[in-house]
Amino acid sequence: MWCQNNDLQHTALQTVLFSSDWGDGHGFYINPENIWQAAVIFSVRRLIKPTWINDRDQFLQPTAPLPDEFKTDCLIWMLFNGSNLTASADDLEWNGKKWSIVNHFIPYTEVEVNASDRFESDFMVQYLATLQQAQGERDGGLSDEAVAVLDAGRILWRAYFAETDVRSVRDELKLNRADVGWYQIRNALKARNARGDNVAIDFKPFETAYKTLSDKLQPQVFELGFLRA
C-alpha cells in the first residue's frame, strides 16, 4: 500500500494498492494482521473528494473506537475501488528472471464466478468468512450495503469468465492466470464493450451499489474524527 502525504490534495493520486513491491519510501506491506487498518486508511483517504476549499485539510486519528461494521464496509469499498490496482500475471521478466504475481484479493470462490481454473490464493474468501462468523454473533455479519456490492461485483466476475478476450487485450492486461484482479476484470469488460463484439456488460447495478456504500461511509469520516468539518 502506498499512502504519501497527509492532506486531501495529495490523497487522490497517492493512495493506491499495488500487486507488487513499490512504496517510494511511503508504503507498507499488507498482511492478515493489518489488512483491516489498510482498508480503513485507504477508504478514509479516498472517500472525500478534494476541492479548492478542503484540499489542505489534514487527516487525524479517530476520536472514537471504530465500529466493526465500519471496518468491514471499508474493506469491501477498498476491494472494489478504481484505485485498487491489484492484478495477477505470469512470465513477468525482470533482472534476468521470470516472475509471477498472485492475487490474494479475490472475494469469491472459483465456483461462485465459474472460473476457468483454480485460484492460487483463497485468502480473501477465508478472511471475509472469518469476519462474518465473528460479527454474526453480534450483528449478522456484513452490512446490507457491503453485501450489495459483493453481489453486483460477482455478476461482473462471472461475465469476465463467460468469454475469452481477444489476444491484444490478453497481452495488454496480462490475462494469463485465472486469479485476475479487479483492475484486470473491469478493464477487460470495458474493452469488450468498446469493441461491441459481445453482449454489452452493464456496470450500472454495480455502480449504484458502490455509490450507496460510498454515501454511507462518507459522513462517518467526519463522525469518527478522521477529518474535521
Side-chain angles (χ1 to χ4, degrees):
M1 182 176 188
W2 182 47
C3 49
Q4 185 174 354
N5 292 304
N6 199 44
D7 54 19
L8 269 170
Q9 68 173 322
H10 290 99
T11 56
L13 295 177
Q14 297 179 354
T15 309
V16 187
L17 262 69
F18 291 106
S19 295
S20 57
D21 178 20
W22 188 79
D24 192 31
H26 301 276
F28 60 91
Y29 288 109
I30 298 175
N31 58 50
E33 285 68 45
N34 70 12
I35 188 171
W36 73 267
Q37 293 164 309
V40 169
I41 292 170
F42 181 96
S43 300
V44 164
R45 283 172 61 93
R46 295 199 64 90
L47 274 161
I48 307 302
K49 302 302 181 185
T51 67
W52 68 272
I53 297 176
N54 69 10
D55 66 354
R56 302 303 170 93
D57 289 358
Q58 301 287 313
F59 288 96
L60 306 169
Q61 290 184 334
T63 55
L66 303 182
D68 287 339
E69 185 171 295
F70 175 78
K71 297 176 186 177
T72 52
D73 280 350
C74 284
L75 177 63
I76 300 304
W77 195 88
M78 177 186 74
L79 290 177
F80 289 94
N81 187 264
S83 289
N84 177 343
L85 304 183
T86 48
S88 69
D90 281 335
D91 298 327
L92 298 175
E93 296 186 10
W94 178 75
N95 201 24
K97 297 181 180 179
K98 288 192 175 183
W99 305 79
S100 293
I101 296 176
V102 178
N103 178 20
H104 299 280
F105 276 32
I106 303 177
Y108 312 111
T109 66
E110 299 93 335
V111 174
E112 284 184 272
V113 296
N114 301 320
S116 56
D117 203 350
R118 293 291 303 274
F119 299 151
E120 186 167 336
S121 170
D122 66 351
F123 166 75
M124 188 52 66
V125 168
Q126 296 301 324
Y127 186 80
L128 286 172
T130 300
L131 289 180
Q132 289 176 290
Q133 183 178 11
Q135 293 188 29
E137 300 173 358
R138 300 188 296 276
D139 56 18
L142 300 179
S143 70
D144 291 343
E145 295 84 358
V147 170
V149 172
L150 279 171
D151 289 345
R154 188 182 298 106
I155 293 173
L156 297 179
W157 236 272
R158 287 175 178 168
Y160 168 79
F161 284 112
E163 304 284 347
T164 300
D165 292 285
V166 297
R167 180 62 180 270
S168 59
V169 173
R170 296 201 308 271
D171 289 345
E172 178 185 354
L173 297 177
K174 303 296 188 288
L175 303 178
N176 52 23
R177 293 177 61 101
D179 52 353
V180 287
W182 178 230
Y183 172 84
Q184 293 163 303
I185 290 279
R186 67 180 188 271
N187 284 292
L189 293 179
K190 289 175 181 178
R192 292 181 198 175
N193 282 354
R195 289 195 316 274
D197 297 334
N198 307 89
V199 176
I201 306 301
D202 185 7
F203 281 85
K204 188 65 176 178
F206 169 79
E207 292 168 351
T208 299
Y210 193 78
K211 183 179 186 302
T212 299
L213 180 59
S214 301
D215 291 343
K216 175 187 177 182
L217 285 171
Q218 284 170 345
Q220 295 182 59
V221 173
F222 298 95
E223 292 165 5
L224 294 170
F226 291 102
L227 286 173
R228 300 285 173 82

